[in-house]
Amino acid sequence: MMSCTLLNPKKRLFLCLLVSLAFFLVVDTSSQQHLEAKKKLMREKVRQMFYHAYDNYMTYAFPHDELKPLTKSFTDSLSELGNLKLEHLPTDYNGSAVTLVESLSSLAILGNSSEFEKGVRWLSDNLKFDIDARVNLFECNIRVLGGLISAHLLAIDPTNRLIQGSYNNQLLRLAEDLGKRFLPAFETPTGLPYAWINLKNGVMENETTETSTSGCGSLILEMGALSRLTGDPRFESAALRALRQLWRMRSSLDLLGTTLDVVTGEWLEYSSSIGAGVDSFYEYLLKAYILFGKEDYWQMFSSAYLASQKYFRHGPWYHEANMWSGKPTYWQLTSLQAFWPGLQVLAGDIAAANSTHREFFYVWEKFGILPERYLLDHQMIHPTMKYYPLRPELAESTFYLYQATKDPWYLDVGEAMVKSLNLYTKVPGGFASVRDVTTMQLEDHQHSFFLAETCKYLYLLFDDSFVAKRNYIFTTEGHPIQVVSSWHEKLPKSYSGNWTLSKRGAWESGASALSLQVCPSIALNSRRPEQHRESACHVPDEKINHRCRSNKE
């Protein structure tokens, strides 16, 4: 064989380049094969985690709501633990199988069509909402209504082939029944819904009027989807009215507080943040824009997002601030904030998402798992909030960042999380919450969102074939809803009574305020001012300085 040194310089250079290229191709191929092997191995580990949690639930807790893994028993989370509460339970009440409802979309993603169909059959025959039960509107919406809607959409998608027998929209009928039972909660002077509703009797006498920003501002995905599927506009209208009212109540800094009164419309807690009590409000503005295509969702989100960057962000961290002054109130990291980098990915702010995500993972590595609250100013865990209830938010953001960057470092993050969950929280009866991350003392509770979100996002991190087939948005409880063009508003080119400025600069009837996104109130030369209509981009404000955008802006 002739060596490179016996060739003339040009041929020698060319041959050596070919050899080098071949070497790098071999190395790259080998590296890619190693990466794929690692992803396959981790995918199977997460699959085993899911079924360890799911099988124990089905064995020891079903049809009750959630599993108590240490004692291998059950809790009806709607009546005992968590944010949901049922009262005056009928003697024959056996739970509403919340974990089963929450698990259906995960079963679909894992490709288990037989277990998915079995779950659909059971829910169709047994799930009832005509019970004298007081439930939290927000939690019941994201867990049960969202789970039913998502599972229905997966069941009717022919590409998934999840139902072998007949399916006659049973889950959608259940969702519609539940949605109708939500509607009395919105019958307030402000349109903001009560936080609690009795599924049989509506709003109870002397019901509390206090709710949270996320509680009344994070309903639009599920209720909007329900309206699109049933043709009944009441669900979306109620949720949208509440969302617009909430936006009208923002401060001049575009900040919102944490809690408010649904009757008076007054703020009760002025501290604003991206964490508990407000978090999913931001999330649903952006995801509603993606799902429904309404421009005003984007306008609200972009204003709120810019305000969060201005008043909350301190390097990679986000503190809380007074909604009126913008001054910091609490310097603390909460585990719920870990969803934020994932939302930033959807908004296209990848650099900021990466920076914040790395800080969250630093805290995870420091303690083995993520504590509920971490005091930034003291660099210590909050003394009374040391627990970790198997939350999914960091796994969620890791999945989104890997999708956006394909940086294998995020796979390492996911691998570390899987290792920690198996090391610290896995028990013979499932996966247990951690009461104290400094001692790893466990608590007898496996939340339904561990199956709905934590396992789902970790699985999708290592196997994204499900999202490669379709465009989906995931609700705040991790339930996938397919993005379809037919759900996007097709705005008319014009309609009578709405005269505004055309793109050519002339006032004419052929352009609408809706399609051009200009405020009808600036149509000074309108020929029919009495027929002005509210445009999609214009949300009436209480504050005079909250003016509508001008044409130039």
Side-chain angles (χ1 to χ4, degrees), residues 315-430:
W317 300 106
Y318 289 82
H319 56 73
E320 299 178 27
N322 183 284
M323 65 176 292
W324 305 112
S325 66
K327 294 181 178 179
T329 52
Y330 303 108
W331 290 79
Q332 59 186 2
L333 170 153
T334 66
S335 61
L336 288 172
Q337 293 176 351
F339 88 101
W340 190 253
L343 187 66
Q344 290 181 305
V345 170
L346 289 180
D349 200 350
I350 308 299
N354 172 65
S355 175
T356 298
H357 175 273
R358 287 177 181 269
E359 296 299 331
F360 274 104
F361 184 58
Y362 163 76
V363 177
W364 178 287
E365 286 188 304
K366 183 176 182 179
F367 297 103
I369 45 182
L370 195 62
E372 186 69 4
R373 296 203 178 198
Y374 182 76
L375 303 178
L376 297 173
D377 46 353
H378 298 292
Q379 292 292 295
M380 60 176 285
I381 300 176
H382 191 287
T384 62
M385 294 190 174
K386 301 178 179 181
Y387 55 90
Y388 170 68
L390 306 174
R391 290 203 187 279
E393 284 77 14
L394 186 59
E396 175 185 2
S397 287
T398 305
F399 158 68
Y400 277 111
L401 275 162
Y402 181 68
Q403 286 294 307
T405 66
K406 297 302 179 183
D407 185 340
W409 180 79
Y410 294 108
L411 299 178
D412 296 337
V413 172
E415 183 178 11
M417 295 180 69
V418 169
K419 182 179 179 180
S420 292
L421 288 168
N422 281 304
L423 178 63
Y424 299 121
T425 72
K426 185 178 181 180
V427 295

Side-chain angles (χ1 to χ4, degrees), residues 488-540:
H488 279 222
E489 293 204 344
K490 293 180 173 61
L491 302 177
K493 292 183 179 179
S494 64
Y495 54 82
S496 63
N498 198 357
W499 301 76
T500 188
L501 186 67
S502 73
K503 292 182 179 179
R504 295 192 302 272
W507 293 102
E508 59 184 38
S509 60
S512 72
L514 280 168
S515 61
L516 294 179
Q517 302 169 17
V518 294
C519 179
S521 64
I522 65 171
L524 301 177
N525 295 332
S526 172
R527 305 176 195 177
R528 299 180 183 177
E530 73 281 357
Q531 294 188 20
H532 277 184
R533 302 184 185 185
E534 179 183 342
S535 76
C537 74
H538 183 231
V539 180

